[in-house]
Each structure stands twice: as C-alpha cells, then as structure tokens.
Amino acid sequence: MKNSLIIILLFLCSTSFSQQTPPGYIRLGDPAPDFTAETTQGTVKFHEWLGNSWGILFSHPSDFTPVCTTELGAVAKLAGAFARMNVKVIALSVDSIASHRRWIKDINETQHTTVNFPLIADPKFEVANLYGMVHPNAMEKATVRSVFIIAPDKKVKLTLTYPASTGRNFEEILRVVESLQLTAKYSVATPANWMHGNDVIIVPSVKDEDIPGKFPKGHTTVRPYLRTTPQPNL
Ligand code: BEZ
C-alpha cells in the first residue's frame, strides 16, 4: 500500500515537471522568466521594470568587441522609435558593470550616439542560463546574440539567435514589434517582407460577411483564403 502511494506520488511529480519549461528553453507563448540583475542603470527587477511596456532583451558575447559595439550604437540611435512604440530595451553581457561603463563611453564616442538603455552585468551567467543564451557548441564561455520580444502580458512573442560574427538588424526587430502590435489589436497578420504602410492579411477566422464591418477601408480577395486590407491603424 505504502509503495503504491509512493509510485503514484512520483508519477504525479514527473507529469507536472514535464509540463514546465526547463530553464533556458524558452518557446513562443511562454512566460518570460523574471529576474533581478545589476545594470548600468542600477538594480533592475525585470517584470517590474517592464511595467506595461513591450520589452526587448538581447545578449552580446562580450564587452569591447567590434560587432557588439556597432549593435549597441544602432539600438541607441533607435531610441525615439522604441519610445514611440512603447518598447523598453535592455542588453546583457556577462562582463562587469565597471567594464560596461567603460565600454559605453567607447560606444558613444565611436558610434556617435548616447547609449540610454540599461546593460545587464551577468558575470555568473544567471540571466544568460535562465534564457538559454549560452550555446556551448558555438561558444563555450560567452552568450550568443539572442533576442527576446516580450509583450505587456510578459509572454515571449519572438526568439531569435544569431551567431557572434553576424550583427543583428534592429530595424527588422522593430518591424516585428510593429507587426505584433498590429496583430494584437486587429484580426490581421502581416505578409512576407511587410513594411509599415503596406496592406495586411485578414486572418482566416474572419468570415467574409464580417469583413466590411471590421475593415471599412475595403479589402481584396486574392483567393478565399488570402484576403488583404489596408493597414487598419493608419
Ligand atoms: C564581436 O562582437 O565583434 C564578436 C564577438 C565574438 C566573436 C566574434 C565577434
């Protein structure tokens, strides 16, 4: 009797564990793991710091490296666009705060900008491991170039992993945020290579008869499953 009880308990525990996301393995729709970390702008409690904003968390292999220097400069130059879209950005590198501060001075000088977002110091790889930013077969002791877009409900909406040698295109990341914000508000999706101002796709769950009420700007039926309409929020 006692043995069967133990077996049942073990089974229940293993089932409930198997349904949880293991640390470092983050899939779309998962809650973004919360953390507290030291940054160049003081201690950040991640979820509290995000508040009702969208968030972009992105990692770098290390301080004082050329590609990373250009990336942080590029993000700093997009500060106005991020603010208009209600997006807070936060970068991570496993080096120390002192190193980050020296590096930011360099970035400002060489990229002709002002880094105005926090840079997490993660010397123990705590946040890096929580978010699966270390890919040991690519780089053993550094984070790869990860990006996570997080919605105001703290759910992960995009994950992206680039190799150390390829700088990311932050205009593309902004484009995804705009698409996500649009699709969160309207029953639309965005087609291949969509850019701000282009027509969007009416999602298949909208019935033909409901289109005029939902999309008063008009629509085009290319195929019954492919219906487009002008971007609704312009
Ligand atoms: C860079 O940021 O420039 C870089 C970092 C690690 C490996 C290669 C390039």
Side-chain angles (χ1 to χ4, degrees):
M1 175 64 186
K2 199 174 158 198
N3 280 353
S4 6
L5 199 62
I6 290 171
I7 289 167
I8 290 169
L9 277 175
L10 282 174
F11 173 75
L12 287 176
C13 284
S14 70
T15 323
S16 68
F17 277 129
S18 70
Q19 284 166 1
Q20 286 173 6
T21 306
Y25 181 54
I26 295 174
R27 295 167 296 193
L28 301 191
D30 286 353
D34 197 14
F35 59 82
T36 300
E38 294 311 312
T39 81
T40 48
Q41 295 184 3
T43 305
V44 162
K45 292 181 176 174
F46 189 48
H47 282 195
E48 192 180 302
W49 176 82
L50 283 170
N52 290 324
S53 300
W54 288 71
I56 296 178
L57 168 66
F58 62 110
S59 60
H60 294 274
S62 64
D63 293 5
F64 298 100
T65 45
V67 177
C68 300
T69 300
T70 60
E71 282 193 324
L72 288 194
V75 174
K77 286 175 187 166
L78 290 173
F82 285 123
R84 276 192 298 281
M85 295 174 76
N86 187 30
V87 181
K88 285 186 168 179
V89 293
I90 187 162
L92 176 147
S93 159
V94 296
D95 294 310
S96 67
I97 292 285
S99 163
H100 285 358
R101 293 222 163 98
R102 288 195 302 275
W103 186 34
I104 285 175
K105 196 166 167 288
D106 254 18
I107 296 165
N108 291 346
E109 275 174 31
T110 61
Q111 306 305 302
H112 313 291
T113 187
T114 303
V115 171
N116 46 10
F117 50 88
L119 184 45
I120 297 169
D122 192 30
K124 294 185 184 156
F125 288 75
E126 285 161 335
V127 181
N129 287 330
L130 194 59
Y131 275 82
M133 293 165 168
V134 181
H135 295 209
N137 291 328
M139 282 195 302
E140 214 177 334
K141 294 203 171 87
T143 49
V144 290
R145 297 188 194 282
S146 302
V147 183
F148 297 88
I149 297 181
I150 298 156
D153 64 1
K154 312 290 182 291
K155 296 276 169 60
V156 174
K157 294 290 183 183
L158 167 137
T159 66
L160 194 74
T161 309
Y162 268 41
S165 52
T166 306
R168 287 157 286 195
N169 181 337
F170 287 92
E171 297 277 1
E172 164 61 6
I173 291 162
L174 258 181
R175 189 189 74 92
V176 179
V177 173
E178 186 174 9
S179 168
L180 286 166
Q181 292 185 346
L182 201 56
T183 63
K185 199 158 174 200
Y186 303 92
S187 303
V188 297
T190 55
N193 301 330
W194 176 83
M195 297 295 287
H196 175 86
N198 293 165
D199 285 0
V200 298
I201 290 170
I202 300 168
V203 296
S205 59
V206 177
K207 292 189 184 125
D208 280 341
E209 57 268 33
D210 295 333
I211 291 179
K214 279 183 175 261
F215 301 102
K217 289 181 179 174
H219 74 283
T220 305
T221 302
V222 183
R223 287 286 183 276
Y225 61 85
L226 175 53
R227 302 159 305 172
T228 60
T229 188
Q231 183 174 333
N233 62 343
L234 295 182

